[in-house]
Amino acid sequence: MNELAPIAVCVPLVGAALLVAIFARVSKIAVEIAATLTGLATLALCCVILASVAAHGASVLWFGGWHPGNTVGLGIAFVVDPAGAAVAACVAFVVTGAIVFSRQYFDDVGAIFYVLLLAMLGAMVAFAYAADAFDLFVFYEVFSVAAYAISAYRVERKSAYEGSLQFALVNSVAGLFVLGGIIVLEGSTGELNLAAIGRSLPAQHASAPLVAFAFAAIAAGLFARGALAPLHFWFDEVHANAPTPLCVVLSGAMVPLALFGFVRLYLIAFSTVLPPAAGPAFVLCAAGVVSAVVGSLMCLRQLALKRMLAFATVAHAGVAAISLSAFTAPAFAGAALYLGGYAFAVAGLFMAVAVVRSVMKRNVDLFASAGAGRRFYLTGTIFALGTCEVAGVWPSARAIVAGGSGAHALLVLASFVLVAGATGGACARAFSTVFVLDRVRSKRGNVPWFMLVPAFAFVAIPLLAAAPAVPAFVERAANDLLDVERYRAISLGAAVVTRAPGIAPGGLPLAWLATLSAAVVAYLCIARARPVRRFRVFAGRNAAMLVLARVHDGDVGAYVAWLVGAAIAATASVLASRP
Amino acid sequence: MTIVPYAVAAAVFALGIYGTIASRTLVYQILCVSVAQSSTYILLLSIGFRNGAGPPIFLSAPASRVLGVDPVAQALALTDVVVSAATTALLLALALRVHESGGSSEPARQRSESGE
């Protein structure tokens, strides 16, 4: 079935190209149907590939039969393993949902918008399957360039153009870091295939600083896309200004994809010469802790709902990164369920906010829209279901504390309680303000079904993790993801040695602490303060919050400087902790 | 392999990044990103270079007799140029929009509090 993988990449890309060719000659409805069908076809292909991989295991495809054999490796390959196939299917689901949603989000969505979304979809699916370092970079740039273009689509404010320019500038520099790291890898090994790099890197003892630099540069570039602090500054700005479908794709697909890309690249290419204990685990964990704290504090501070959700994504990516830094299968499975569940839930939350905004014809923030959604019963239900996931009520979120042991498990639990409390509390506060209060007159428009159906599907998906088959599959995929030798063997066509499976995660009652903390924050925000002034607790004049706010001041130069500083710090910490 | 190409690439990269951080005009800032990007071309071409080798065009089958520079690195440099051109074009288009909508071509130094 591995022949299907390139087709799943080609379908959206060819569909996008055909759409450009025909959209001037056909009616709007035909364009909408064609785009939706292309998205659905990609989703179906990704699901078939996922089912096939789940049944028969991972497989490799060398394009044009250019298998490396005993000669120099010139060919490029896709390796479809359970983790990559699952990530691709989730990404396809999110982007297809965004395509359906766009139809009623814009007054008149142009064909170009669908073209950009489909190009992004193709590149993201390819990124999940790619087994070649340069391919990874190219697909990463393709989906980024499409995202830059979407972020400025049909926005007529100067601040919106500035937001997307910031997004594009910071991320272009981040892309340079990834490219620089990959070139250094190629220079020291002569290989571009990830598995081949991983095989020949240990022989290059002399180039230890170069390997450390390559790791740090790639980590900095992917962390910037993964919204990990301190490289997340562009993230809320673009969410506040960009069209909602892009927010859905960025928070719901790009952040998990970037973290997956980092884990895959690190494990296959670097882990033999740089084991997790020699720096990488520390770098990932440190970025995670900073993200969890900064994201939580900034989330509570926001009045604008889209900014608030953007910071919730930063905080959740941080918790997932802390869990991933254990580099054990149960921790990976927990992080995957947690971040996957959150990604779908936040996509639904963004859509719910957009439904209220489109019917009210005004921006939704806590001041302006108290009670705006009071009569939106379905939208309110969607928002409440999404909030449950963010606040750690559903089993998919609580899976994060199941894996790991000792100090690491305590750190994961503490950050989970902090993040669920702050972001879940903020979402509950937003729910009570927008959907319960009685201030602004709520009006009823036509029910926008094309917006509500994908939103409902997104907030319902995390509930699937309650079925035992899902955690079992994720556990197996995490086990395969960590089995570096197996991936290299499949990739290069050697004999595969099957490793014993890891330990299945068991639920911990302590995880309910997170929900409790969310309830406490929500209670403090809602019941103990007057309705509109309640946010001021966190916008207050205390020194820490002011410093935090000043760091997020919107200076692109400073953001690029943070990126350079983070890459240098990561190089230094890897070099310092080498034995 | 000597260290000179690496040093040149690092210097060009550092210059470009410094310019990106310090520029006071959007167009300069974007050009500085391009300068930083061009350091990767130097890096790519230098890792594919072999002393005394000709262009990688082989007319007869046993290519091992003829010494050529690494064609893969050159192909990658070409891909890199395309990616960079796409990004620069998009950045310049956005800068133009910022200029048209507000008359300013300075990088944003203030956080906008607007948005949704």
Side-chain angles (χ1 to χ4, degrees):
Chain A
M1 289 302 257
N2 56 16
E3 295 81 6
L4 278 182
I7 299 179
V9 175
C10 286
V11 163
L13 292 180
V14 172
L18 286 179
L19 217 52
V20 172
I22 62 162
F23 79 86
R25 300 199 183 85
V26 296
S27 64
K28 272 187 233 164
I29 188 84
V31 169
E32 282 160 3
I33 291 173
T36 312
L37 284 181
T38 313
L40 286 173
T42 312
L43 175 61
L45 280 168
C46 287
C47 289
V48 170
I49 292 167
L50 176 62
S52 141
V53 169
H56 309 297
S59 59
V60 62
L61 175 73
W62 287 92
F63 287 101
W66 279 83
H67 192 273
N70 297 322
T71 60
V72 61
L74 281 179
I76 51 176
F78 271 180
V79 172
V80 186
D81 69 335
V87 168
C90 290
V91 163
F93 194 93
V94 170
V95 179
T96 308
I99 290 174
V100 174
F101 172 85
S102 304
R103 186 181 179 277
Q104 282 183 331
Y105 174 78
F106 292 101
D107 292 335
D108 173 24
V109 50
I112 297 301
F113 190 79
Y114 291 125
V115 171
L116 290 170
L117 269 182
L118 286 173
M120 217 172 155
L121 171 59
M124 284 172 139
V125 171
F127 185 85
Y129 294 150
D132 182 280
F134 200 79
D135 266 19
L136 278 176
F137 165 73
V138 170
F139 292 128
Y140 164 96
E141 281 294 318
V142 171
F143 71 67
S144 306
V145 172
Y148 307 154
I150 295 177
S151 71
Y153 188 81
R154 298 267 165 101
V155 289
E156 304 299 340
R157 295 182 307 276
K158 180 171 179 242
S159 69
Y161 290 127
E162 278 175 348
S164 48
L165 191 60
Q166 249 179 43
F167 171 41
L169 263 171
V170 174
N171 281 290
S172 303
V173 177
L176 279 184
F177 274 85
V178 173
L179 179 61
I182 288 171
I183 295 175
V184 169
L185 277 185
E186 204 225 338
S188 26
T189 61
E191 304 279 2
L192 278 173
N193 184 281
L194 289 180
I197 292 174
R199 283 267 163 90
S200 43
L201 209 50
Q204 323 289 327
H205 294 301
S207 54
L210 273 184
V211 172
F213 164 77
F215 167 78
I218 289 172
L222 287 171
F223 286 1
R225 290 288 199 288
L228 287 183
L231 310 173
H232 68 289
F233 296 111
W234 56 276
F235 199 67
D236 71 300
E237 194 69 28
V238 69
H239 277 68
N241 290 305
T244 296
L246 183 69
C247 302
V248 167
V249 176
L250 288 186
S251 273
M254 196 174 86
V255 166
L257 189 65
L259 287 182
F260 167 75
F262 168 76
V263 168
R264 157 69 35 91
L265 224 157
Y266 162 68
L267 281 175
I268 306 303
F270 289 100
S271 62
T272 310
V273 61
L274 270 187
F282 172 76
V283 171
L284 189 59
C285 190
V289 170
V290 178
S291 309
V293 173
V294 171
S296 299
L297 291 177
M298 291 299 288
C299 178
L300 276 171
R301 203 171 181 277
Q302 302 307 315
L303 283 180
L305 292 186
K306 282 164 91 183
R307 259 187 224 277
M308 180 194 90
L309 292 174
F311 278 114
T313 305
V314 172
H316 277 75
V319 177
I322 297 173
S323 177
L324 288 173
S325 71
F327 288 100
T328 61
F332 270 30
L337 285 171
Y338 174 79
L339 196 60
Y342 170 79
F344 281 115
V346 79
L349 288 173
F350 273 118
M351 290 177 166
V353 170
V355 170
V356 178
R357 179 188 176 279
S358 78
V359 178
M360 295 299 291
K361 302 276 186 241
R362 68 154 102 181
N363 288 348
V364 179
D365 74 24
L366 289 183
F367 266 139
S369 61
R374 199 162 34 86
R375 296 173 65 186
F376 293 48
Y377 303 113
L378 215 51
T379 317
T381 313
I382 289 169
F383 202 95
L385 286 173
T387 302
C388 286
E389 168 71 28
V390 177
V393 179
W394 301 149
S396 52
R398 282 181 290 118
I400 189 87
V401 290
S405 57
H408 182 265
L410 268 182
L411 187 60
V412 170
L413 179 65
S415 63
F416 175 51
V417 171
L418 167 76
V419 166
T423 61
C427 285
R429 177 183 64 180
F431 175 78
S432 79
T433 312
V434 176
F435 294 100
V436 179
L437 275 186
D438 188 3
R439 294 199 151 231
V440 180
R441 209 161 63 83
S442 175
K443 59 181 175 186
R444 285 182 79 88
N446 292 330
V447 182
W449 287 110
F450 283 93
M451 295 166 93
L452 284 176
V453 170
F456 195 78
F458 283 158
V459 290
I461 277 205
L463 288 168
L464 285 182
V470 176
F473 172 76
V474 171
E475 173 80 8
R476 225 190 75 207
N479 212 44
D480 279 10
L481 183 62
L482 266 169
D483 197 343
V484 175
E485 281 311 317
R486 180 190 166 87
Y487 183 95
R488 286 180 186 160
I490 290 171
S491 189
L492 300 177
V496 176
V497 185
T498 309
R499 214 173 60 161
I503 316 129
L508 267 186
L510 278 177
W512 286 106
L513 278 178
T515 310
L516 184 68
S517 75
V520 170
V521 172
Y523 175 74
L524 287 177
C525 286
I526 297 164
R528 298 296 298 274
R530 279 185 298 171
V532 177
R533 296 188 180 277
R534 59 183 68 118
F535 77 97
R536 290 211 183 271
V537 182
F538 298 95
R541 300 239 171 269
N542 62 75
M545 287 308 289
L546 282 180
V547 169
L548 204 54
R550 195 163 303 150
V551 175
H552 290 78
D553 63 354
D555 183 342
V556 183
Y559 295 171
V560 173
W562 276 103
L563 192 60
V564 177
I568 293 172
T571 314
S573 67
V574 170
L575 283 177
S577 42
R578 283 176 74 88
Chain B
M1 193 197 299
T2 76
I3 200 164
V4 176
Y6 279 96
V8 171
V12 172
F13 184 74
L15 269 177
I17 292 293
Y18 173 75
T20 314
I21 294 172
S23 286
R24 293 278 151 203
T25 309
L26 281 177
V27 175
Y28 286 176
Q29 199 166 31
I30 293 162
L31 289 182
C32 287
V33 174
S34 302
V35 169
Q37 182 113 37
S38 58
S39 72
T40 59
Y41 314 151
I42 302 173
L43 205 55
L44 269 173
L45 292 181
S46 62
I47 61 170
F49 184 75
R50 285 152 92 189
N51 260 336
I57 302 166
F58 308 115
L59 294 175
S60 54
S64 53
R65 301 272 177 83
V66 191
L67 204 58
V69 297
D70 185 357
V72 175
Q74 298 195 348
L76 297 189
L78 204 58
T79 316
D80 190 10
V81 170
V82 173
V83 168
S84 147
T87 317
T88 308
L90 205 61
L91 284 170
L92 285 172
L94 284 172
L96 200 63
R97 284 299 186 84
V98 170
H99 182 74
E100 280 171 357
S101 61
S104 148
S105 53
E106 283 181 12
R109 301 276 163 188
Q110 277 289 307
R111 183 171 203 76
S112 68
E113 281 304 334
S114 66
E116 290 159 20

